Amino acid sequence: VGPCGYSLLKTVITKKGHSVLTAYKTYCYQPLKSALENKLKLPHFEKLSSLWRDRNIPENYLGDIYDGSIWKQFQTVGGQPFLSTDNNYAFMLNFDYFQPYKHRSTSVGVLYLACLNLPREIRFKFENIILVGVIPSLGYNKRQEPPSLNPYLKPLIDDLNVFWKPGLHLKTYKHPDGVM
């Protein structure tokens, strides 16, 4: 039973008569709007994600993503302010497999986002990561990964397109009634 109070696994009997636990949902996806809104409701998140604007870095120094050309290019997009204004965020998409069981070679994949606006030293801390999806192994007792991640990325891309145009109204700690 997961933290939400619902059973996440069901028992399936294999052809050989063995009981195996398997997920009810083959792909657990967390919608980006609710996940980001939960982070933005934390008292510190908005403030910490703006600290990069006040950095004092020597010229020609590359100490973080903020110092690179891509970050600088996204200060404005299409002639409009983007990262240069509050309430706009940049994310790094990460994907990795891990082995949840000690004596089985079954692997589980995870898609997660790190908010690049946060300072480097806290960006990848557990409490600041947004878990997007969990991709189960396609086989029992063997490592069998999907041939393509595209079906698993599609819901995230759909969510990101909604965020991009025209933007989204989200509730935050500083703006409990919401802000674009």
Side-chain angles (χ1 to χ4, degrees):
V1 176
C4 56
Y6 291 98
S7 178
L8 302 175
L9 303 171
K10 61 184 173 184
T11 303
V12 174
I13 306 299
T14 67
K15 290 179 184 177
K16 294 182 180 180
H18 301 299
S19 294
V20 177
L21 291 176
T22 185
Y24 276 107
K25 278 178 106 174
T26 56
Y27 178 52
C28 299
Y29 176 77
Q30 176 175 217
L32 188 54
K33 179 182 180 187
S34 59
L36 181 56
E37 201 168 52
N38 287 339
K39 298 295 180 197
L40 292 171
K41 287 179 181 176
L42 297 172
H44 65 279
F45 196 89
E46 287 175 281
K47 181 180 179 184
L48 289 173
S49 62
S50 293
L51 291 178
W52 65 270
R53 290 185 175 90
D54 300 326
R55 294 171 71 238
N56 215 356
I57 300 297
E59 192 174 331
N60 296 324
Y61 177 80
L62 297 175
D64 201 355
I65 192 164
Y66 315 128
D67 308 320
S69 61
I70 291 178
W71 189 266
K72 291 174 183 171
Q73 289 171 7
F74 275 93
Q75 295 306 301
T76 59
V77 174
Q80 298 294 315
F82 184 63
L83 288 176
S84 61
T85 62
D86 288 335
N87 305 315
N88 287 329
Y89 298 91
F91 294 96
M92 174 192 295
L93 175 63
N94 299 280
F95 174 71
D96 199 5
Y97 274 96
F98 66 95
Q99 209 170 333
Y101 306 110
K102 186 174 183 177
H103 300 290
R104 285 193 173 167
S105 61
T106 302
S107 59
V108 176
V110 290
L111 287 166
Y112 61 97
L113 296 172
C115 182
L116 296 174
N117 300 59
L118 291 172
R120 182 181 58 217
E121 52 275 1
I122 64 166
R123 187 178 299 151
F124 292 99
K125 286 192 172 186
F126 178 77
E127 61 269 17
N128 296 322
I129 293 295
I130 296 175
L131 177 64
V132 176
V134 179
I135 303 169
S137 176
L138 299 177
Y140 297 109
N141 293 324
K142 60 183 175 181
R143 187 177 181 151
Q144 189 175 353
E145 299 164 3
S148 171
L149 290 179
N150 289 345
Y152 302 103
L153 290 170
K154 185 176 180 344
L156 175 61
I157 291 168
D158 291 344
D159 281 355
L160 289 170
N161 281 329
V162 169
F163 274 71
W164 190 257
K165 296 178 192 172
L168 214 54
H169 193 260
L170 296 174
K171 294 178 181 176
T172 73
Y173 181 79
K174 286 183 359 185
H175 302 67
D177 294 329
V179 65
M180 283 299 279

